[in-house]
PDB file of all heavy atoms in Angstrom:
ATOM      1  N   LYS A   1       7.934   7.929   2.878  1.00 98.00           N
ATOM      2  CA  LYS A   1       6.994   9.043   2.814  1.00 98.00           C
ATOM      3  C   LYS A   1       5.553   8.553   2.864  1.00 98.00           C
ATOM      4  O   LYS A   1       4.677   9.222   3.432  1.00 98.00           O
ATOM      5  CB  LYS A   1       7.232   9.832   1.517  1.00 98.00           C
ATOM      6  CG  LYS A   1       6.380  11.087   1.370  1.00 98.00           C
ATOM      7  CD  LYS A   1       6.833  12.175   2.317  1.00 98.00           C
ATOM      8  CE  LYS A   1       6.140  13.489   2.041  1.00 98.00           C
ATOM      9  NZ  LYS A   1       6.521  14.540   3.026  1.00 98.00           N
ATOM     10  N   SER A   2       5.294   7.397   2.303  1.00 98.00           N
ATOM     11  CA  SER A   2       3.920   6.869   2.310  1.00 98.00           C
ATOM     12  C   SER A   2       3.408   6.682   3.731  1.00 98.00           C
ATOM     13  O   SER A   2       2.237   6.913   4.017  1.00 98.00           O
ATOM     14  CB  SER A   2       3.852   5.539   1.536  1.00 98.00           C
ATOM     15  OG  SER A   2       4.504   4.491   2.236  1.00 98.00           O
ATOM     16  N   VAL A   3       4.287   6.263   4.628  1.00 98.00           N
ATOM     17  CA  VAL A   3       3.901   6.085   6.025  1.00 98.00           C
ATOM     18  C   VAL A   3       3.763   7.442   6.711  1.00 98.00           C
ATOM     19  O   VAL A   3       2.819   7.692   7.475  1.00 98.00           O
ATOM     20  CB  VAL A   3       4.921   5.207   6.767  1.00 98.00           C
ATOM     21  CG1 VAL A   3       4.495   4.987   8.208  1.00 98.00           C
ATOM     22  CG2 VAL A   3       5.088   3.864   6.049  1.00 98.00           C
ATOM     23  N   GLN A   4       4.684   8.343   6.420  1.00 98.00           N
ATOM     24  CA  GLN A   4       4.648   9.669   7.036  1.00 98.00           C
ATOM     25  C   GLN A   4       3.350  10.404   6.710  1.00 98.00           C
ATOM     26  O   GLN A   4       2.763  11.065   7.570  1.00 98.00           O
ATOM     27  CB  GLN A   4       5.851  10.484   6.558  1.00 98.00           C
ATOM     28  CG  GLN A   4       7.194   9.918   6.999  1.00 98.00           C
ATOM     29  CD  GLN A   4       8.366  10.513   6.232  1.00 98.00           C
ATOM     30  OE1 GLN A   4       8.198  11.469   5.454  1.00 98.00           O
ATOM     31  NE2 GLN A   4       9.551   9.938   6.407  1.00 98.00           N
ATOM     32  N   LEU A   5       2.890  10.290   5.480  1.00 98.00           N
ATOM     33  CA  LEU A   5       1.664  10.991   5.074  1.00 98.00           C
ATOM     34  C   LEU A   5       0.442  10.469   5.830  1.00 98.00           C
ATOM     35  O   LEU A   5      -0.430  11.254   6.229  1.00 98.00           O
ATOM     36  CB  LEU A   5       1.460  10.841   3.567  1.00 98.00           C
ATOM     37  CG  LEU A   5       2.482  11.558   2.687  1.00 98.00           C
ATOM     38  CD1 LEU A   5       2.320  11.120   1.235  1.00 98.00           C
ATOM     39  CD2 LEU A   5       2.332  13.071   2.813  1.00 98.00           C
ATOM     40  N   ALA A   6       0.378   9.165   6.019  1.00 98.00           N
ATOM     41  CA  ALA A   6      -0.737   8.601   6.788  1.00 98.00           C
ATOM     42  C   ALA A   6      -0.678   9.073   8.234  1.00 98.00           C
ATOM     43  O   ALA A   6      -1.720   9.389   8.847  1.00 98.00           O
ATOM     44  CB  ALA A   6      -0.710   7.075   6.710  1.00 98.00           C
ATOM     45  N   HIS A   7       0.524   9.140   8.804  1.00 98.00           N
ATOM     46  CA  HIS A   7       0.674   9.653  10.173  1.00 98.00           C
ATOM     47  C   HIS A   7       0.203  11.098  10.272  1.00 98.00           C
ATOM     48  O   HIS A   7      -0.472  11.481  11.236  1.00 98.00           O
ATOM     49  CB  HIS A   7       2.136   9.579  10.597  1.00 98.00           C
ATOM     50  CG  HIS A   7       2.602   8.192  10.906  1.00 98.00           C
ATOM     51  ND1 HIS A   7       3.929   7.867  11.019  1.00 98.00           N
ATOM     52  CD2 HIS A   7       1.924   7.044  11.127  1.00 98.00           C
ATOM     53  CE1 HIS A   7       4.053   6.583  11.298  1.00 98.00           C
ATOM     54  NE2 HIS A   7       2.843   6.058  11.345  1.00 98.00           N
ATOM     55  N   GLU A   8       0.586  11.897   9.295  1.00 98.00           N
ATOM     56  CA  GLU A   8       0.196  13.307   9.312  1.00 98.00           C
ATOM     57  C   GLU A   8      -1.316  13.459   9.261  1.00 98.00           C
ATOM     58  O   GLU A   8      -1.893  14.301   9.966  1.00 98.00           O
ATOM     59  CB  GLU A   8       0.850  14.032   8.140  1.00 98.00           C
ATOM     60  CG  GLU A   8       2.359  14.172   8.286  1.00 98.00           C
ATOM     61  CD  GLU A   8       3.039  14.602   6.997  1.00 98.00           C
ATOM     62  OE1 GLU A   8       2.323  14.993   6.041  1.00 98.00           O
ATOM     63  OE2 GLU A   8       4.290  14.552   6.924  1.00 98.00           O
ATOM     64  N   ALA A   9      -1.967  12.644   8.452  1.00 98.00           N
ATOM     65  CA  ALA A   9      -3.427  12.700   8.376  1.00 98.00           C
ATOM     66  C   ALA A   9      -4.059  12.254   9.685  1.00 98.00           C
ATOM     67  O   ALA A   9      -5.041  12.848  10.149  1.00 98.00           O
ATOM     68  CB  ALA A   9      -3.918  11.825   7.221  1.00 98.00           C
ATOM     69  N   ARG A  10      -3.512  11.204  10.283  1.00 98.00           N
ATOM     70  CA  ARG A  10      -4.038  10.745  11.567  1.00 98.00           C
ATOM     71  C   ARG A  10      -3.871  11.824  12.634  1.00 98.00           C
ATOM     72  O   ARG A  10      -4.784  12.056  13.433  1.00 98.00           O
ATOM     73  CB  ARG A  10      -3.333   9.465  12.005  1.00 98.00           C
ATOM     74  CG  ARG A  10      -3.741   9.005  13.408  1.00 98.00           C
ATOM     75  CD  ARG A  10      -3.186   7.639  13.759  1.00 98.00           C
ATOM     76  NE  ARG A  10      -1.728   7.625  13.781  1.00 98.00           N
ATOM     77  CZ  ARG A  10      -1.026   6.523  14.019  1.00 98.00           C
ATOM     78  NH1 ARG A  10      -1.637   5.356  14.217  1.00 98.00           N
ATOM     79  NH2 ARG A  10       0.288   6.570  14.032  1.00 98.00           N
ATOM     80  N   LYS A  11      -2.731  12.469  12.651  1.00 98.00           N
ATOM     81  CA  LYS A  11      -2.502  13.523  13.632  1.00 98.00           C
ATOM     82  C   LYS A  11      -3.496  14.659  13.447  1.00 98.00           C
ATOM     83  O   LYS A  11      -4.054  15.189  14.422  1.00 98.00           O
ATOM     84  CB  LYS A  11      -1.067  14.044  13.511  1.00 98.00           C
ATOM     85  CG  LYS A  11      -0.715  15.102  14.547  1.00 98.00           C
ATOM     86  CD  LYS A  11       0.742  15.514  14.432  1.00 98.00           C
ATOM     87  CE  LYS A  11       1.082  16.576  15.476  1.00 98.00           C
ATOM     88  NZ  LYS A  11       2.523  16.989  15.378  1.00 98.00           N
ATOM     89  N   ALA A  12      -3.740  15.045  12.215  1.00 98.00           N
ATOM     90  CA  ALA A  12      -4.692  16.113  11.942  1.00 98.00           C
ATOM     91  C   ALA A  12      -6.106  15.718  12.351  1.00 98.00           C
ATOM     92  O   ALA A  12      -6.884  16.553  12.829  1.00 98.00           O
ATOM     93  CB  ALA A  12      -4.653  16.474  10.458  1.00 98.00           C
ATOM     94  N   HIS A  13      -6.435  14.446  12.180  1.00 98.00           N
ATOM     95  CA  HIS A  13      -7.778  13.953  12.525  1.00 98.00           C
ATOM     96  C   HIS A  13      -7.935  13.786  14.030  1.00 98.00           C
ATOM     97  O   HIS A  13      -9.056  13.876  14.557  1.00 98.00           O
ATOM     98  CB  HIS A  13      -8.035  12.625  11.821  1.00 98.00           C
ATOM     99  CG  HIS A  13      -9.414  12.092  11.997  1.00 98.00           C
ATOM    100  ND1 HIS A  13     -10.550  12.762  11.566  1.00 98.00           N
ATOM    101  CD2 HIS A  13      -9.862  10.936  12.577  1.00 98.00           C
ATOM    102  CE1 HIS A  13     -11.615  12.050  11.858  1.00 98.00           C
ATOM    103  NE2 HIS A  13     -11.229  10.943  12.476  1.00 98.00           N
ATOM    104  N   GLY A  14      -6.847  13.513  14.711  1.00 98.00           N
ATOM    105  CA  GLY A  14      -6.879  13.386  16.162  1.00 98.00           C
ATOM    106  C   GLY A  14      -7.027  11.980  16.688  1.00 98.00           C
ATOM    107  O   GLY A  14      -6.912  11.749  17.890  1.00 98.00           O
ATOM    108  N   GLN A  15      -7.269  11.026  15.793  1.00 97.00           N
ATOM    109  CA  GLN A  15      -7.399   9.632  16.201  1.00 97.00           C
ATOM    110  C   GLN A  15      -7.345   8.742  14.968  1.00 97.00           C
ATOM    111  O   GLN A  15      -7.384   9.236  13.841  1.00 97.00           O
ATOM    112  CB  GLN A  15      -8.718   9.392  16.940  1.00 97.00           C
ATOM    113  CG  GLN A  15      -9.951   9.690  16.109  1.00 97.00           C
ATOM    114  CD  GLN A  15     -11.236   9.512  16.886  1.00 97.00           C
ATOM    115  OE1 GLN A  15     -11.232   9.084  18.025  1.00 97.00           O
ATOM    116  NE2 GLN A  15     -12.351   9.842  16.263  1.00 97.00           N
ATOM    117  N   GLY A  16      -7.277   7.440  15.192  1.00 98.00           N
ATOM    118  CA  GLY A  16      -7.287   6.497  14.072  1.00 98.00           C
ATOM    119  C   GLY A  16      -6.060   5.603  14.078  1.00 98.00           C
ATOM    120  O   GLY A  16      -5.137   5.769  14.884  1.00 98.00           O
ATOM    121  N   LEU A  17      -6.072   4.638  13.174  1.00 98.00           N
ATOM    122  CA  LEU A  17      -4.992   3.680  13.016  1.00 98.00           C
ATOM    123  C   LEU A  17      -4.334   3.865  11.648  1.00 98.00           C
ATOM    124  O   LEU A  17      -4.927   4.456  10.739  1.00 98.00           O
ATOM    125  CB  LEU A  17      -5.511   2.253  13.147  1.00 98.00           C
ATOM    126  CG  LEU A  17      -6.252   1.886  14.436  1.00 98.00           C
ATOM    127  CD1 LEU A  17      -6.728   0.440  14.369  1.00 98.00           C
ATOM    128  CD2 LEU A  17      -5.380   2.111  15.650  1.00 98.00           C
ATOM    129  N   VAL A  18      -3.128   3.332  11.519  1.00 98.00           N
ATOM    130  CA  VAL A  18      -2.416   3.330  10.239  1.00 98.00           C
ATOM    131  C   VAL A  18      -2.075   1.894   9.878  1.00 98.00           C
ATOM    132  O   VAL A  18      -1.464   1.164  10.673  1.00 98.00           O
ATOM    133  CB  VAL A  18      -1.125   4.172  10.310  1.00 98.00           C
ATOM    134  CG1 VAL A  18      -0.276   3.957   9.061  1.00 98.00           C
ATOM    135  CG2 VAL A  18      -1.461   5.649  10.464  1.00 98.00           C
ATOM    136  N   ALA A  19      -2.487   1.470   8.686  1.00 98.00           N
ATOM    137  CA  ALA A  19      -2.151   0.155   8.158  1.00 98.00           C
ATOM    138  C   ALA A  19      -1.115   0.311   7.062  1.00 98.00           C
ATOM    139  O   ALA A  19      -1.266   1.144   6.165  1.00 98.00           O
ATOM    140  CB  ALA A  19      -3.393  -0.535   7.598  1.00 98.00           C
ATOM    141  N   LEU A  20      -0.054  -0.480   7.146  1.00 98.00           N
ATOM    142  CA  LEU A  20       0.980  -0.471   6.111  1.00 98.00           C
ATOM    143  C   LEU A  20       0.552  -1.393   4.979  1.00 98.00           C
ATOM    144  O   LEU A  20       0.471  -2.609   5.146  1.00 98.00           O
ATOM    145  CB  LEU A  20       2.315  -0.940   6.691  1.00 98.00           C
ATOM    146  CG  LEU A  20       3.458  -1.115   5.681  1.00 98.00           C
ATOM    147  CD1 LEU A  20       3.794   0.217   5.005  1.00 98.00           C
ATOM    148  CD2 LEU A  20       4.693  -1.704   6.351  1.00 98.00           C
ATOM    149  N   SER A  21       0.278  -0.812   3.825  1.00 98.00           N
ATOM    150  CA  SER A  21      -0.135  -1.601   2.666  1.00 98.00           C
ATOM    151  C   SER A  21       1.068  -2.272   2.019  1.00 98.00           C
ATOM    152  O   SER A  21       2.019  -1.609   1.600  1.00 98.00           O
ATOM    153  CB  SER A  21      -0.834  -0.712   1.639  1.00 98.00           C
ATOM    154  OG  SER A  21      -1.103  -1.441   0.451  1.00 98.00           O
ATOM    155  N   MET A  22       0.992  -3.592   1.936  1.00 98.00           N
ATOM    156  CA  MET A  22       1.955  -4.374   1.177  1.00 98.00           C
ATOM    157  C   MET A  22       1.198  -5.014   0.017  1.00 98.00           C
ATOM    158  O   MET A  22       0.590  -6.078   0.150  1.00 98.00           O
ATOM    159  CB  MET A  22       2.586  -5.447   2.064  1.00 98.00           C
ATOM    160  CG  MET A  22       3.590  -4.932   3.086  1.00 98.00           C
ATOM    161  SD  MET A  22       5.198  -4.453   2.363  1.00 98.00           S
ATOM    162  CE  MET A  22       5.028  -2.652   2.372  1.00 98.00           C
ATOM    163  N   GLY A  23       1.172  -4.314  -1.101  1.00 96.00           N
ATOM    164  CA  GLY A  23       0.497  -4.852  -2.270  1.00 96.00           C
ATOM    165  C   GLY A  23       1.222  -6.058  -2.821  1.00 96.00           C
ATOM    166  O   GLY A  23       2.404  -6.289  -2.549  1.00 96.00           O
ATOM    167  N   CYS A  24       0.512  -6.828  -3.607  1.00 97.00           N
ATOM    168  CA  CYS A  24       1.076  -8.066  -4.140  1.00 97.00           C
ATOM    169  C   CYS A  24       2.169  -7.776  -5.168  1.00 97.00           C
ATOM    170  O   CYS A  24       2.272  -6.675  -5.713  1.00 97.00           O
ATOM    171  CB  CYS A  24      -0.032  -8.909  -4.775  1.00 97.00           C
ATOM    172  SG  CYS A  24      -0.825  -8.144  -6.206  1.00 97.00           S
ATOM    173  N   TYR A  25       2.976  -8.776  -5.447  1.00 96.00           N
ATOM    174  CA  TYR A  25       4.032  -8.669  -6.449  1.00 96.00           C
ATOM    175  C   TYR A  25       3.446  -8.306  -7.812  1.00 96.00           C
ATOM    176  O   TYR A  25       4.042  -7.547  -8.577  1.00 96.00           O
ATOM    177  CB  TYR A  25       4.790  -9.990  -6.524  1.00 96.00           C
ATOM    178  CG  TYR A  25       5.856 -10.045  -7.580  1.00 96.00           C
ATOM    179  CD1 TYR A  25       7.050  -9.340  -7.436  1.00 96.00           C
ATOM    180  CD2 TYR A  25       5.686 -10.816  -8.737  1.00 96.00           C
ATOM    181  CE1 TYR A  25       8.037  -9.393  -8.408  1.00 96.00           C
ATOM    182  CE2 TYR A  25       6.669 -10.877  -9.714  1.00 96.00           C
ATOM    183  CZ  TYR A  25       7.845 -10.163  -9.545  1.00 96.00           C
ATOM    184  OH  TYR A  25       8.810 -10.212 -10.517  1.00 96.00           O
ATOM    185  N   GLY A  26       2.264  -8.815  -8.096  1.00 93.00           N
ATOM    186  CA  GLY A  26       1.629  -8.533  -9.380  1.00 93.00           C
ATOM    187  C   GLY A  26       1.360  -7.069  -9.612  1.00 93.00           C
ATOM    188  O   GLY A  26       1.340  -6.605 -10.754  1.00 93.00           O
ATOM    189  N   ALA A  27       1.142  -6.303  -8.524  1.00 89.00           N
ATOM    190  CA  ALA A  27       0.889  -4.876  -8.678  1.00 89.00           C
ATOM    191  C   ALA A  27       2.093  -4.161  -9.275  1.00 89.00           C
ATOM    192  O   ALA A  27       1.957  -3.245 -10.094  1.00 89.00           O
ATOM    193  CB  ALA A  27       0.531  -4.269  -7.325  1.00 89.00           C
ATOM    194  N   VAL A  28       3.281  -4.581  -8.881  1.00 86.00           N
ATOM    195  CA  VAL A  28       4.498  -3.948  -9.376  1.00 86.00           C
ATOM    196  C   VAL A  28       4.743  -4.279 -10.842  1.00 86.00           C
ATOM    197  O   VAL A  28       5.311  -3.478 -11.592  1.00 86.00           O
ATOM    198  CB  VAL A  28       5.699  -4.370  -8.499  1.00 86.00           C
ATOM    199  CG1 VAL A  28       6.997  -3.794  -9.025  1.00 86.00           C
ATOM    200  CG2 VAL A  28       5.471  -3.924  -7.067  1.00 86.00           C
ATOM    201  N   LEU A  29       4.274  -5.440 -11.275  1.00 87.00           N
ATOM    202  CA  LEU A  29       4.423  -5.796 -12.682  1.00 87.00           C
ATOM    203  C   LEU A  29       3.600  -4.884 -13.593  1.00 87.00           C
ATOM    204  O   LEU A  29       3.934  -4.697 -14.764  1.00 87.00           O
ATOM    205  CB  LEU A  29       4.006  -7.257 -12.900  1.00 87.00           C
ATOM    206  CG  LEU A  29       4.830  -8.311 -12.169  1.00 87.00           C
ATOM    207  CD1 LEU A  29       4.252  -9.706 -12.436  1.00 87.00           C
ATOM    208  CD2 LEU A  29       6.295  -8.257 -12.576  1.00 87.00           C
ATOM    209  N   ALA A  30       2.492  -4.339 -13.040  1.00 82.00           N
ATOM    210  CA  ALA A  30       1.647  -3.387 -13.770  1.00 82.00           C
ATOM    211  C   ALA A  30       1.151  -3.948 -15.101  1.00 82.00           C
ATOM    212  O   ALA A  30       1.040  -3.227 -16.095  1.00 82.00           O
ATOM    213  CB  ALA A  30       2.394  -2.066 -13.996  1.00 82.00           C
ATOM    214  N   ASN A  31       0.855  -5.242 -15.115  1.00 86.00           N
ATOM    215  CA  ASN A  31       0.356  -5.872 -16.345  1.00 86.00           C
ATOM    216  C   ASN A  31      -0.947  -6.639 -16.122  1.00 86.00           C
ATOM    217  O   ASN A  31      -1.333  -7.471 -16.944  1.00 86.00           O
ATOM    218  CB  ASN A  31       1.420  -6.816 -16.914  1.00 86.00           C
ATOM    219  CG  ASN A  31       1.759  -7.962 -15.969  1.00 86.00           C
ATOM    220  OD1 ASN A  31       1.191  -8.076 -14.880  1.00 86.00           O
ATOM    221  ND2 ASN A  31       2.681  -8.824 -16.376  1.00 86.00           N
ATOM    222  N   GLY A  32      -1.599  -6.347 -14.996  1.00 84.00           N
ATOM    223  CA  GLY A  32      -2.842  -7.037 -14.679  1.00 84.00           C
ATOM    224  C   GLY A  32      -2.660  -8.311 -13.896  1.00 84.00           C
ATOM    225  O   GLY A  32      -3.636  -8.993 -13.570  1.00 84.00           O
ATOM    226  N   ALA A  33      -1.402  -8.682 -13.554  1.00 91.00           N
ATOM    227  CA  ALA A  33      -1.150  -9.945 -12.860  1.00 91.00           C
ATOM    228  C   ALA A  33      -1.747  -9.973 -11.463  1.00 91.00           C
ATOM    229  O   ALA A  33      -1.979 -11.047 -10.906  1.00 91.00           O
ATOM    230  CB  ALA A  33       0.352 -10.217 -12.782  1.00 91.00           C
ATOM    231  N   GLU A  34      -2.014  -8.794 -10.884  1.00 88.00           N
ATOM    232  CA  GLU A  34      -2.650  -8.776  -9.567  1.00 88.00           C
ATOM    233  C   GLU A  34      -4.081  -9.308  -9.627  1.00 88.00           C
ATOM    234  O   GLU A  34      -4.674  -9.629  -8.591  1.00 88.00           O
ATOM    235  CB  GLU A  34      -2.643  -7.356  -8.992  1.00 88.00           C
ATOM    236  CG  GLU A  34      -3.423  -6.352  -9.818  1.00 88.00           C
ATOM    237  CD  GLU A  34      -2.983  -4.930  -9.527  1.00 88.00           C
ATOM    238  OE1 GLU A  34      -3.256  -4.433  -8.421  1.00 88.00           O
ATOM    239  OE2 GLU A  34      -2.376  -4.304 -10.422  1.00 88.00           O
ATOM    240  N   TYR A  35      -4.632  -9.406 -10.839  1.00 88.00           N
ATOM    241  CA  TYR A  35      -5.986  -9.930 -11.005  1.00 88.00           C
ATOM    242  C   TYR A  35      -5.993 -11.358 -11.542  1.00 88.00           C
ATOM    243  O   TYR A  35      -7.053 -11.947 -11.717  1.00 88.00           O
ATOM    244  CB  TYR A  35      -6.786  -9.018 -11.941  1.00 88.00           C
ATOM    245  CG  TYR A  35      -6.802  -7.580 -11.475  1.00 88.00           C
ATOM    246  CD1 TYR A  35      -6.114  -6.597 -12.188  1.00 88.00           C
ATOM    247  CD2 TYR A  35      -7.472  -7.201 -10.314  1.00 88.00           C
ATOM    248  CE1 TYR A  35      -6.104  -5.279 -11.757  1.00 88.00           C
ATOM    249  CE2 TYR A  35      -7.454  -5.896  -9.878  1.00 88.00           C
ATOM    250  CZ  TYR A  35      -6.777  -4.943 -10.596  1.00 88.00           C
ATOM    251  OH  TYR A  35      -6.754  -3.634 -10.162  1.00 88.00           O
ATOM    252  N   THR A  36      -4.803 -11.896 -11.815  1.00 94.00           N
ATOM    253  CA  THR A  36      -4.720 -13.271 -12.332  1.00 94.00           C
ATOM    254  C   THR A  36      -3.787 -14.154 -11.504  1.00 94.00           C
ATOM    255  O   THR A  36      -3.920 -15.377 -11.533  1.00 94.00           O
ATOM    256  CB  THR A  36      -4.198 -13.281 -13.779  1.00 94.00           C
ATOM    257  OG1 THR A  36      -2.837 -12.804 -13.806  1.00 94.00           O
ATOM    258  CG2 THR A  36      -5.066 -12.405 -14.683  1.00 94.00           C
ATOM    259  N   GLY A  37      -2.837 -13.553 -10.815  1.00 95.00           N
ATOM    260  CA  GLY A  37      -1.841 -14.329 -10.087  1.00 95.00           C
ATOM    261  C   GLY A  37      -0.812 -14.978 -10.987  1.00 95.00           C
ATOM    262  O   GLY A  37      -0.015 -15.809 -10.531  1.00 95.00           O
ATOM    263  N   ASN A  38      -0.786 -14.604 -12.240  1.00 95.00           N
ATOM    264  CA  ASN A  38       0.164 -15.189 -13.198  1.00 95.00           C
ATOM    265  C   ASN A  38       1.471 -14.406 -13.146  1.00 95.00           C
ATOM    266  O   ASN A  38       1.628 -13.382 -13.807  1.00 95.00           O
ATOM    267  CB  ASN A  38      -0.420 -15.171 -14.606  1.00 95.00           C
ATOM    268  CG  ASN A  38       0.507 -15.807 -15.627  1.00 95.00           C
ATOM    269  OD1 ASN A  38       1.539 -16.391 -15.274  1.00 95.00           O
ATOM    270  ND2 ASN A  38       0.156 -15.700 -16.907  1.00 95.00           N
ATOM    271  N   TYR A  39       2.425 -14.904 -12.375  1.00 96.00           N
ATOM    272  CA  TYR A  39       3.704 -14.227 -12.209  1.00 96.00           C
ATOM    273  C   TYR A  39       4.799 -14.807 -13.097  1.00 96.00           C
ATOM    274  O   TYR A  39       5.952 -14.374 -13.022  1.00 96.00           O
ATOM    275  CB  TYR A  39       4.150 -14.321 -10.741  1.00 96.00           C
ATOM    276  CG  TYR A  39       3.283 -13.561  -9.764  1.00 96.00           C
ATOM    277  CD1 TYR A  39       3.449 -13.741  -8.395  1.00 96.00           C
ATOM    278  CD2 TYR A  39       2.308 -12.666 -10.189  1.00 96.00           C
ATOM    279  CE1 TYR A  39       2.680 -13.051  -7.481  1.00 96.00           C
ATOM    280  CE2 TYR A  39       1.528 -11.968  -9.284  1.00 96.00           C
ATOM    281  CZ  TYR A  39       1.714 -12.169  -7.925  1.00 96.00           C
ATOM    282  OH  TYR A  39       0.938 -11.480  -7.016  1.00 96.00           O
ATOM    283  N   GLY A  40       4.467 -15.774 -13.909  1.00 91.00           N
ATOM    284  CA  GLY A  40       5.467 -16.400 -14.759  1.00 91.00           C
ATOM    285  C   GLY A  40       6.065 -17.626 -14.096  1.00 91.00           C
ATOM    286  O   GLY A  40       6.025 -17.783 -12.879  1.00 91.00           O
ATOM    287  N   VAL A  41       6.653 -18.480 -14.896  1.00 90.00           N
ATOM    288  CA  VAL A  41       7.125 -19.777 -14.404  1.00 90.00           C
ATOM    289  C   VAL A  41       8.431 -19.679 -13.623  1.00 90.00           C
ATOM    290  O   VAL A  41       8.819 -20.629 -12.927  1.00 90.00           O
ATOM    291  CB  VAL A  41       7.294 -20.770 -15.576  1.00 90.00           C
ATOM    292  CG1 VAL A  41       5.958 -21.036 -16.243  1.00 90.00           C
ATOM    293  CG2 VAL A  41       8.313 -20.242 -16.592  1.00 90.00           C
TER     294      VAL A  41
END
């Protein structure tokens, strides 16, 4: 759905590109690791 929504917005706008965001593993941890890179040993 995340991709579909960007496509829908692009279609409504009439032009543009869509980038697929692949956030870092730390983002999924939701503990601030995306700002430290500390994923554990």
Side-chain angles (χ1 to χ4, degrees):
K1 184 72 171 176
S2 71
V3 182
Q4 296 165 8
L5 292 170
H7 286 165
E8 291 167 11
R10 174 172 62 182
K11 183 176 180 180
H13 185 61
Q15 61 183 355
L17 303 178
V18 170
L20 174 62
S21 174
M22 287 285 103
C24 64
Y25 177 72
V28 177
L29 298 177
N31 62 1
E34 62 201 290
Y35 305 111
T36 65
N38 182 7
Y39 293 170
V41 297

